[in-house]
Amino acid sequence: MAIFDQVAKMGHERVMLCSNPDIGLKAIIAVHSTVLGPGLGGVRMWDYASDEEALTDVLRLSRAMTYKAAAAGLNLGGGKAVILGDSKKDKSEALFRAFGRYVDSLGGLYIGAEDVGTDMEDMELVFGETRWVTGVSPAHGGSGDPSPVTAYGTLQGIKAAVKWRYSAPDLKGRSVAIQGLGSVGHHLAGYLVQEGAKVFGSDIDPIRNEQGRQLGVEIVPNKDIFEVDCDIFAPCALGASLNDETIPRLKCQIVAGAANNQLADEETHGAMLDQRGILYAPDFVINAGGLINVYNELLGGYNRERALRMTRGIYLNLTRVFETAKREGISTAAAAGKVAEERIATVQKLRAKHWGRLLAR
Ligand code: NAD
């Protein structure tokens, strides 16, 4: 699709190409929406097969951030950046500083954070050029690793889903199968064990499995994780794990985990889970803890207690999504999109009224 058609179809406000051939910087910053606030989203560094692939990815990811922030009730819009390159070979101070100057030129319309292929050290290089970046170290007033807060938020979401399905949020005696015992999966397993749940897990990395075992997780072979007889399946690995092949194998009542883009196809697989009677906690609602955490850096000094308090709001946010799905007779995946879109539309209408009033003076 031609670039302008693609941008127009997805409704982006601004797309910026960042090029500095002397340094080897090729990056794209996409701001999908600033209706609710500045577009915050991670800086992904990936060796894309083509410029087109990078553009499609940044447009899709920035749009998803608009939905995530809206559903979380944050005063943030959606943005994302991609740096085209191999994160193992192509990183340099000059590259991230040059990128930081592009971020700065947007004057706060876009705010960066860590993402796949970038880390706290990279964000600190960006921070050398602009204040419009989060995810820097606590030494710089930042919030550090977001994974524990993402896991804490996922725990709140699991409780909301359990309450909705079984009428009580208690996790004691409930069983959970976690796919992926990485940064978020590991912390989530720890919380669940503490709450008295029986936890199964699997990771393709044997070290992660061993760390899980030490927490009390029963490790199952990777190929069997979808078929564990359990109350909750928690995808915490990569995206698209719920698809035509895996959904029929599930033996759970609830899908509630932290991974991004869990459904291979949002519409088809959201409906497929619904038809199977499995309650799906939409990924961008339940995994917003990391975003809520970095948002707290913007609220005048990072405060862990405030971040955790706001993260507990995921319980209510998810309950609202379940209620909408029930009321409207739609899948929870569709309901999550609707809740986010309604909030954006309401604020947009209020803003239009405000400007109308000012102009009429
Ligand atoms: P991570 O890389 O630390 O952990 C992912 C784990 O999944 C790794 O240990 C990896 O070995 C494992 N894995 C990959 N494929 C697997 C498979 N087929 N079966 C079993 N295990 C597999 O990443 P993370 O930070 O824990 O993030 C996990 C997911 O949550 C990702 O989808 C991420 O986008 C999403 N997420 C993370 C955060 C955060 O704060 N880190 C916030 C929001 C969403």
Side-chain angles (χ1 to χ4, degrees):
M1 201 188 285
I3 293 180
F4 281 105
D5 292 344
Q6 206 176 346
V7 171
K9 186 164 175 251
M10 295 183 76
H12 284 74
E13 289 179 14
R14 200 177 287 215
V15 180
M16 184 189 225
L17 300 182
C18 318
S19 164
N20 188 328
D22 295 339
I23 292 168
L25 173 72
K26 273 171 82 175
I28 312 174
I29 301 174
V31 178
H32 176 254
S33 169
T34 57
V35 173
L36 298 177
L40 193 152
V43 182
R44 182 163 293 196
M45 186 163 185
W46 194 255
D47 207 1
Y48 291 99
S50 65
D51 297 354
E52 289 74 20
E53 190 185 88
L55 177 69
T56 303
D57 206 31
V58 77
L59 293 179
R60 199 177 52 83
L61 292 166
S62 52
R63 185 173 180 274
M65 290 310 295
T66 299
Y67 279 77
K68 187 184 281 206
L74 303 178
N75 294 324
L76 285 178
K80 198 91 180 181
V82 294
I83 297 179
L84 289 77
D86 184 337
S87 62
K88 295 216 165 62
K89 291 193 311 218
D90 300 332
K91 285 187 181 180
S92 67
E93 178 178 357
L95 182 115
F96 282 105
R97 293 193 77 125
F99 174 73
R101 286 195 288 280
Y102 280 105
V103 173
D104 200 58
S105 74
L106 288 170
L109 276 184
Y110 168 70
I111 301 175
E114 300 160 16
D115 201 75
V116 177
T118 61
D119 56 26
M120 199 164 71
E121 282 170 24
D122 303 328
M123 290 313 110
E124 293 193 353
L125 293 173
V126 176
F127 187 58
E129 299 290 339
T130 182
R131 55 186 281 234
W132 303 116
V133 63
T134 58
V136 294
S137 74
H140 287 124
S143 57
D145 176 13
S147 310
V149 184
T150 301
Y152 183 70
T154 306
L155 176 76
Q156 312 309 314
I158 289 177
K159 286 184 177 175
V162 165
K163 167 86 164 84
W164 187 260
R165 173 54 44 109
Y166 303 110
S167 303
D170 198 359
L171 297 181
K172 201 165 172 19
R174 294 275 165 221
S175 50
V176 188
I178 305 180
Q179 184 196 34
L181 295 167
S183 309
V184 179
H186 180 83
H187 285 107
L188 178 63
Y191 282 128
L192 290 167
V193 169
Q194 263 176 27
E195 296 271 342
K198 164 76 191 161
V199 184
F200 300 90
S202 88
D203 198 292
I204 50 174
D205 180 348
I207 296 173
R208 289 303 203 177
N209 281 333
E210 188 43 43
Q211 289 167 341
R213 207 174 273 124
Q214 282 171 19
L215 284 177
V217 176
E218 183 174 331
I219 301 299
V220 300
N222 273 304
K223 63 176 177 44
D224 297 339
I225 193 74
F226 292 98
E227 281 149 35
V228 174
D229 204 345
C230 59
D231 296 305
I232 303 126
F233 176 68
C236 293
L238 304 180
S241 63
L242 298 167
N243 51 46
D244 289 344
E245 194 262 322
T246 57
I247 293 175
R249 290 163 57 200
L250 292 173
K251 293 202 177 116
C252 58
Q253 298 288 312
I254 293 167
V255 169
N260 276 315
N261 306 318
Q262 292 168 26
L263 306 175
D265 180 274
E266 189 97 350
E267 211 171 304
T268 318
H269 298 116
M272 206 165 159
L273 285 169
D274 205 34
Q275 280 151 17
R276 279 215 52 203
I278 296 172
L279 178 65
Y280 170 61
D283 47 14
F284 66 83
V285 184
I286 191 170
N287 74 11
L291 179 64
I292 295 170
N293 195 45
V294 290
Y295 175 70
N296 266 270
E297 288 184 31
L298 306 171
L299 298 179
Y302 178 71
N303 175 319
R304 186 69 154 196
E305 271 317 303
R306 184 181 57 201
L308 293 178
R309 195 171 63 236
M310 287 176 69
T311 301
R312 284 196 283 279
I314 288 176
Y315 185 102
L316 278 182
N317 296 343
L318 209 48
T319 303
R320 203 171 304 131
V321 168
F322 296 151
E323 282 166 357
T324 304
K326 189 176 175 194
R327 193 177 57 243
E328 312 256 337
I330 55 179
S331 72
T332 54
K338 197 171 161 51
V339 165
E341 281 165 11
E342 279 175 2
R343 179 163 176 244
I344 295 166
T346 306
V347 173
Q348 204 153 24
K349 231 183 269 168
L350 281 174
R351 270 182 160 196
K353 255 195 205 156
H354 170 75
W355 285 113
R357 247 184 265 127
L358 279 183
L359 292 171
R361 273 187 196 168

